[in-house]
Amino acid sequence: MKIDILTLFPNMFKIPLGESIIGRAREKGILNINVINIRDYSENKHKKVDDYPYGGGAGMVMQPQPIDTALEAIDAKNHKIIYMSPKGKTFNQEMAKELAKEERLIFICGHYEGIDQRVIDHWVTDEISIGDYVLTGGELPTMVVIDAVSRLIPGVLGQEESFMDESFYNGLLEYPQYTRPSEYKNMKVPDILLSGNHKKIEEWRKLQALKITKKNRPDMFEKYINGKNLNKEEKKLIQKLLEDKRLTF
C-alpha cells in the first residue's frame, strides 16, 4: 500500500512510522509511506499557509492553495483522501478493515482551526475522527489510523492469525493473556491454560472475552449477541454468563 501524508510538521512522522512493525513493513516494501510538507507548495514568498477566517472568529485557517497544489502534484484524484477532523465519522475496526483494502491512502493533517472548506468539498472523500476530543493537529490521529490499517495488510504482521482474536476484530474485546512464569508473586496462571486441553482453553477464552466485553463495553456485547447468528457453543457460553452470578456484573 502507498500512503501519502500532507502535513505542516513532517518531522513528527520520522520515528513513529520508522519503528517496530510499520518500520519493518516499510523495509520489506509492503508499505510505501511518503510524507509531504504542505509549506513546500505555498506560493507565498514567506511560505505562509494560513490566514484569518472570513466572518471573524478566533484562530487561523489553513489556506486552500498550498493543499490543493500539493494534492495536484501527487496526482491524488481517484484515490481515498482522508481529512482527520473532530467533525468526521468516529474511527473503528470496521473502517480499518475497509481502508486496508485500498491500494493507496492520502491523509491531510489539519492544524489551527482546520482547513478551508473548499479543499474538503473538492478533494476529501472521508472525514475521520479518532474520538470525541480535540487535539492540536491531525498528525497524531493520522498515525493512529495508519497503525490500525497497516497491521491488517497481508504480510505486515508475522502471522496472519495474529490479529484474528484481538479486541474488536471479531466483535468482542480480547481475552486475558499470560506468559512465563506460571506463578509470580503468588499470582498463578489459570489452570485451564496449563492443561493442554485446547478445546477447553478455547471455550475459556471465549467466555472471558464475553465477560470482559459485557463489563467494559455493554454496547458491543449487546450488538454481538443480537447481531449475528450464534452457534450452539456460543449460545451455551452466553447463557452461562448471564445465569452464573459469579460471572455477572
Side-chain angles (χ1 to χ4, degrees):
M1 175 186 282
K2 182 177 182 181
I3 298 174
D4 296 293
I5 305 167
L6 278 66
T7 174
L8 296 177
F9 303 96
N11 287 338
M12 289 184 68
F13 293 93
K14 283 186 177 179
I15 294 178
L17 299 185
E19 298 287 339
S20 189
I21 292 171
I22 292 181
R24 292 195 294 271
R26 295 178 72 178
E27 290 175 358
K28 294 177 183 177
I30 300 172
L31 292 177
N32 177 9
I33 300 178
N34 181 34
V35 182
I36 298 155
N37 190 338
I38 295 171
R39 290 188 189 278
D40 292 342
Y41 293 89
S42 173
E43 294 175 357
N44 180 278
K45 65 179 181 179
H46 300 296
K47 296 300 179 183
K48 182 178 173 66
V49 295
D50 62 330
D51 211 329
Y52 295 104
Y54 279 123
M60 306 288 277
V61 177
M62 292 177 65
Q63 296 172 303
Q65 179 274 311
I67 303 172
D68 180 69
T69 303
L71 291 168
E72 289 280 8
I74 63 172
D75 193 20
K77 290 181 181 178
N78 302 318
H79 295 288
K80 280 276 186 184
I81 301 176
I82 300 166
Y83 173 48
M84 304 305 304
S85 164
K87 297 184 292 184
K89 294 181 179 179
T90 304
F91 186 63
N92 58 31
Q93 190 68 13
E94 288 302 314
M95 292 172 68
K97 286 191 279 188
E98 288 302 310
L99 291 175
K101 299 175 184 178
E102 299 289 328
E103 293 183 0
R104 185 184 183 191
L105 296 175
I106 300 166
F107 291 86
I108 302 174
C109 302
H111 223 71
Y112 314 120
E113 295 302 311
I115 67 176
D116 190 291
Q117 183 65 34
R118 288 167 290 187
V119 173
I120 299 172
D121 294 341
H122 183 70
W123 286 102
V124 172
T125 60
D126 300 83
E127 285 191 71
I128 294 178
S129 166
I130 61 168
D132 295 336
Y133 47 86
V134 179
L135 299 173
T136 56
E139 285 76 18
L140 292 176
T142 294
M143 293 180 207
V144 169
V145 174
I146 289 174
D147 188 280
V149 170
S150 295
R151 62 199 318 280
L152 300 178
I153 298 171
V156 171
L157 296 182
Q159 295 179 333
E160 297 305 318
E161 297 81 10
S162 296
F163 59 77
M164 292 299 187
D165 292 325
E166 291 180 340
S167 292
F168 305 109
Y169 190 82
N170 289 318
L172 295 172
L173 300 182
E174 190 178 11
Y175 50 78
Q177 298 278 14
Y178 299 87
T179 188
R180 293 180 176 83
S182 60
E183 183 173 348
Y184 179 72
K185 291 186 176 180
N186 295 321
M187 295 180 287
K188 296 182 178 180
V189 172
D191 290 338
I192 186 65
L193 298 179
L194 307 176
S195 68
N197 188 327
H198 296 293
K199 183 177 180 180
K200 290 293 184 181
I201 289 172
E202 288 305 310
E203 180 180 303
W204 180 88
R205 285 176 167 171
K206 189 61 174 282
L207 183 60
Q208 296 304 309
L210 287 164
K211 178 180 175 182
I212 291 169
T213 305
K214 186 176 186 295
K215 178 183 178 182
N216 295 341
R217 289 292 302 273
D219 57 320
M220 285 180 60
F221 180 79
E222 290 298 323
K223 183 177 180 181
Y224 184 83
I225 65 175
N226 295 320
K228 64 173 291 186
N229 295 321
L230 302 173
N231 59 40
K232 187 176 181 180
E233 289 73 21
E234 287 176 316
K235 290 179 180 179
K236 284 183 178 180
L237 288 174
I238 292 170
Q239 192 65 28
K240 181 179 180 181
L241 174 63
L242 296 176
E243 292 179 353
D244 192 333
K245 293 182 180 179
R246 294 170 299 174
L247 296 175
T248 55
F249 306 93

